[in-house]
Amino acid sequence: MQDKYEPQAIEAAAQAHWNASQAYRAVEHAQDAQGKAKPKFYVCSMLPYPSGKLHMGHVRNYTLNDVMYRILRMRGYNVMTPMGWDAFGLPAENAAIDRKVAPSEWTRANIADMKAQMQPLGLAFDWSREVATCDPGYYKWNQWLFLRMLEQGIAYRKTQVVNWDPVDQTVLANEQVVDGRGWRSGAVVEKREIPGYYLAITRYAEQLLADLKTVDWPPQVVAMQENWIGKSVGVNFGFPYTLDGAEQLLRVFTTRADTIMGVTFVAIAAEHPLASRLARGNPEIAAFIDECKRGGVAEADLATMDKKGMPTGFAVRHPLTGEAVPLWIGNYVLMGYGEGAVMGVPGHDERDFAFARKYGLPIRQVIDVRGQPYSTEAWQDWYADKADARCVHSGKYDGLGYEAAVDAIAADLKGRGLGDKQVNYRLRDWGISRQRYWGTPIPLIHCETCGVVPVPEADLPVLLPEGLVPDGSGSPLARYEPFLQCTCPSCGRPARRETDTMDTFVDSAWYYMRYCSPDAATMVDSRTDYWMAGGMDQYIGGIEHAVLHLLYARFWTKVMRDLGLVRFGEPFRRLFTQGMLTHDCYYREDAGGKKRWYYPSEIDIEFDERGRPVKVTARDDGRPVFYGGTEKMSKSKNNVVEPRDIIGRFGADTARTFAMFAGPPDQSAAWSNSGAEGTYRFLRRLWNFCYERRDAVASTALLDDGAARPQLKALRREIHLNLKQADYDYGRMQYNTVVSAAMKMLNALEDAKLADGAADNAALKEGLGILLRTLYPIAPHITHALWNELGYAREYGQLLDAPWPQADPAALVTDEIDLVVQVNGKLRGQIRVPAQADRATVEAAALADATVQRFMAGAPVKKLIVVPGKLVNVVV
């Protein structure tokens, strides 16, 4: 055994051993030594985008995954954890444009680089299951399932108003529009009406909502999904109108039908067909419609935008009173939500109130709440209440509460053939068409004779030509004739391929299933049913994916179930959302007080012998900079700490252990080089302690329960108490306190100052064996080496599959206990008494304590209160 802790050599040897034995290659239906089937466990981290560089935030995420893998394997589970790459998408295409290279070249180089950065961390990934979503063998099944959805009517083509980025030349999802601009280009987003392909996720809205009750997810994630699906019960009805001699209905949906008598206007979206009709011959309306088309179609944009309207001079009729209601075009009305029209009730909707005040429209009170005074001069929150609301100024509905009014009004509308109650969802069908190059080709062919024709299954995959170099002027597929030109599979005439590619959320909707059967000749096979039985056992990833990725994956799974491909309907049984890793940042002020910020890659830090930073300077000029707080690690801010730097300095085990020790995994934690230094010193102490006692441990063949000496009993109790705590914390993924437990174990072993004797050596060997197994899932390399060097492998086998230790109940029993002593309720001392001491003995010990006597100051005792096992309160 080498005398010094040299992490790089130790870690290389451990990884070579694991690689040679294919230690992490998962097999289905594994059995234990007795031939009994092991319970399966599938733990998976969300696959990364191959940007090229790993930072310590990635290390934290993947180590969480890895720790769970290792502890469960020791507990007898057949565990599988894979890794892959979310490799298609706009970032790769934009990077390729900047570098004038093919996206495939940039992406595959990044995959190789990131994989090379992951491997020194010793992560237990089964690389035989590696998936890259840009591989034809993967995206073939995106195309295949799309065609099955097309057959079922789940996939369809329609023209709809969408967000259009004029710089990136593509459709953007609502979430990709930030303050009215494209999330990557920064260009002002436009509304465009273009054809595209959609998946009918709304068919599954009720299932998606109801099945949230069957999963073990963080409550905030469940709430985000529920809000996104947005189920509401209301009334769908129409405002009659006459146009071009024909009677028609302008339909709206509302959850506040009780306020229908307060309607003073109706507003429609600029893209509504009625708006286009009314714009004919009216340049003012036409100009306003054009203005409205600038901006996104996201609800978030509407909440902050300046509400503008244009009167059309046209009126519809109130469905119950027949009163003429003026029709407006509003920039805040979206064609994609509801039917592109809203009823305006300024008296009881804050947005409508502001709109009516701005344009001088009537405001009517039709709801009263506990007789509070109503004024049209200023909005008050109670105007929108419905809990205690009663209809007023509403004719036959006066005096009705919310539910009774809605029922009565819905019944009257139904009686007139104008409307009825309806369940509505905020969720909209998933538009998957992207006018970009680097994505899964949509497998359709356009024929002048036959129309849009599916690519025959035998011709899948439709290969994306990988050598193209985009220039930013739209998809190069639209100009690449070898891709475009094809033959119609129906009539045999010349035809052209579809050039839209699929949204990359399609790629990430089912990759975790392909991990289960990566070489299957079908989309999935029985191995997927094995690993995904009941859904994935544990999914780990950032809360930023709480809505779309998880929602689309759930939808995709339900479609696959309904097509008979899988036997489960929810993909992720349990979800853990890890906190972000932050980093210190530094600054310097110029003469004018303006701050220049510096990040880790731009500074040098000098440490003292205890690992504390004593001097921080800028690399460019060597001048001092000053601590300015923490912020999220981000490649765009150049403030990331790369694992290769930490591994080169301290080793992978230090990087892993401090990433776990920095804070509770579900909360944000700050990376600290000095903290990493402290973690390194702990691991070095462990190595040195084991080296000094290597002969005593290796020569002790049998473990003892510890001799009767109080010193050894106290040591065993401390070891087993911390084991019990670590065992509990592993179960709840509180890995930071597991590290603390391991540190306390080492402190106890050092403080015990054990002699060279059989009983002492037995206690030492037992304690170290527990410590190594406790720390192993977090720091696997050093513990693997020490386990083998100290001879534990001869008795227990390799640490990877060594049995998880169990806390000994007998060791937790103590002969003596410490009790707090209070005088008149204030803490004044502590006594140690036999664990089985009776009340009289406890009282006598408390009164005899010198410190307690001093605070009693000779006063007589009025009462003695004893709380068994906890405290004594002396009342004087």
Side-chain angles (χ1 to χ4, degrees), residues 801-812:
D801 290 305
W804 178 250
Q806 300 298 318
D808 182 1
L812 301 177

Side-chain angles (χ1 to χ4, degrees), residues 45 104-105 161 204 305 370 390 512 528 555 560 606 651 670-671 735 762 824 834 870 876:
S45 287
S104 58
E105 178 184 337
V161 178
Y204 290 83
M305 71 189 305
R370 298 185 300 276
R390 290 289 181 272
Y512 48 89
T528 300
F555 159 68
M560 290 181 68
E606 294 180 18
W671 175 265
Y735 301 148
N824 288 346
K870 293 186 178 180
V876 299

Side-chain angles (χ1 to χ4, degrees), residues 847 853 856 858-865 873-876:
L847 294 174
Q853 285 286 339
M856 289 174 61
V861 177
K862 292 177 62 177
K863 187 192 300 184
L864 276 170
I865 302 169
N873 185 16
V874 182
V875 182
V876 299

